[in-house]
Amino acid sequence: MSSSPISSSPPPASSASVLPAALDFAHVETWVFDLDNTLYPPGLDLWRQIDMNMRGYIANYLGLSLDEAFALQKGYYRKYGTSLRGLMIEHGMDPDAFLDAAHKIDLASLDPAPALGLALGDLPGRKLVYTNGSRAHAEQVLAKLGISEHFADVHDIVAAEFHPKPQEPAYRRFLDMFEVDPTRSAMFEDLARNLEVPAMLGMKTVLVVPPALTGAPAGQPSVTGEPKTREDWENEGFDAAHVDHVTDDLTGFLTALRAPAR
């Protein structure tokens, strides 16, 4: 595995990713990217907004306190792959209304990413977004980043018939829909568990992590007084066998793939 000095413990703030060997990706024809906390910096407040929206919606829908809703939300997320999947199975929730409410967020903190756009544009082959969120949310984020033109399509949770990553049938449906040869593709994700099936299917895998992972213990408030949005289990698996590369700088990583050999 080629990676930055990151294991199952959070990396120090000063850690820098080891750049990939371009030959490791010479065979890649299709580049698959998760959206949230992958194509934009995880330090932004976008996912926190989504998390808070989901918590409020669940509390209102089930008549729970915010703390109870938060515990239920995170429990379903870990068990089912998304909170929504658990709510649909356990409570018959309408997915469309939930997704609309979850993704009503302010994108003011999200700046255009021209360097990322250049790096994506230099990659040979097709680029796809594969998200457990909604197409509308993905399209808004891509537009704000200024990188929409580089992606051939978005595969969202609706197209997946609400079967989320990391479930194997969800990946197989995605590969079939877009006629992706997994042995000639690469997948970029911010959760190690979402790379296990892709690796098993033959995809090259890249885990995108924050420069430093910090937060209160699981279930405890952060320094802002709000529950943290990344659980301890989400910070595990950096050194797993199914993770080929780890990077805390997606733009730098992609740029290195097209750099001339020295």
Side-chain angles (χ1 to χ4, degrees):
M1 179 179 71
S2 172
S3 69
S4 58
I6 297 173
S7 64
S8 58
S9 299
S14 61
S15 70
S17 299
V18 174
L19 297 180
L23 287 177
D24 288 351
F25 294 82
H27 66 292
V28 174
E29 298 176 342
T30 303
W31 307 82
V32 184
F33 294 85
D34 177 48
L35 180 77
D36 291 306
N37 295 328
T38 298
L39 283 174
Y40 61 78
L44 300 181
D45 71 341
L46 303 192
W47 186 252
R48 180 173 295 280
Q49 291 183 61
I50 294 170
D51 216 42
M52 298 293 286
N53 287 347
M54 289 192 291
R55 181 162 42 131
Y57 190 91
I58 294 168
N60 183 65
Y61 184 83
L62 296 177
L64 303 175
S65 70
L66 288 176
D67 287 344
E68 291 170 333
F70 177 76
L72 191 72
Q73 170 193 346
K74 294 302 182 181
Y76 285 165
Y77 174 40
R78 184 167 190 175
K79 180 178 180 180
Y80 292 103
T82 61
S83 303
L84 173 59
R85 183 65 179 168
L87 291 162
M88 291 173 66
I89 291 173
E90 302 285 351
H91 305 280
M93 180 175 281
D94 173 10
D96 295 327
F98 179 85
L99 288 171
D100 287 344
H103 294 130
K104 290 186 185 302
I105 62 173
D106 182 359
L107 298 179
S109 64
L110 186 63
D111 294 325
L116 176 58
L118 288 173
L120 288 167
D122 283 344
L123 294 178
R126 187 173 44 153
K127 274 77 73 174
L128 300 167
V129 169
Y130 180 8
T131 175
N132 277 345
S134 70
R135 172 181 284 271
H137 170 62
E139 290 177 344
Q140 288 178 343
V141 169
L142 295 177
K144 188 73 189 299
L145 289 170
I147 59 175
S148 302
E149 65 183 288
H150 300 294
F151 290 95
D153 212 335
V154 172
H155 184 70
D156 74 342
I157 195 65
V158 179
E161 296 184 342
F162 302 101
H163 294 285
K165 299 175 282 185
Q167 297 176 5
E168 182 177 341
Y171 295 95
R172 292 192 180 277
R173 177 178 175 81
F174 164 75
L175 296 174
D176 289 345
M177 284 186 66
F178 292 98
E179 298 181 340
V180 174
D181 178 353
T183 67
R184 303 189 67 82
S185 63
M187 186 156 189
F188 296 75
E189 262 280 352
D190 71 307
L191 291 178
R193 76 170 186 173
N194 286 354
L195 293 173
E196 186 169 2
V197 172
M200 181 267 291
L201 295 173
M203 300 178 79
K204 183 69 67 175
T205 60
V206 182
L207 183 65
V208 182
V209 301
L213 296 173
T214 59
Q220 296 301 312
S222 68
V223 293
T224 64
E226 297 175 352
K228 63 174 187 170
T229 56
R230 193 170 178 100
E231 298 294 287
D232 289 347
W233 64 265
E234 295 177 271
N235 298 334
E236 298 172 351
F238 303 138
D239 56 354
H242 61 268
V243 176
D244 295 321
H245 298 267
V246 178
T247 183
D248 57 12
D249 178 11
L250 178 62
T251 298
F253 188 94
L254 297 179
T255 299
L257 292 180
R258 304 303 296 160
R262 295 180 180 178

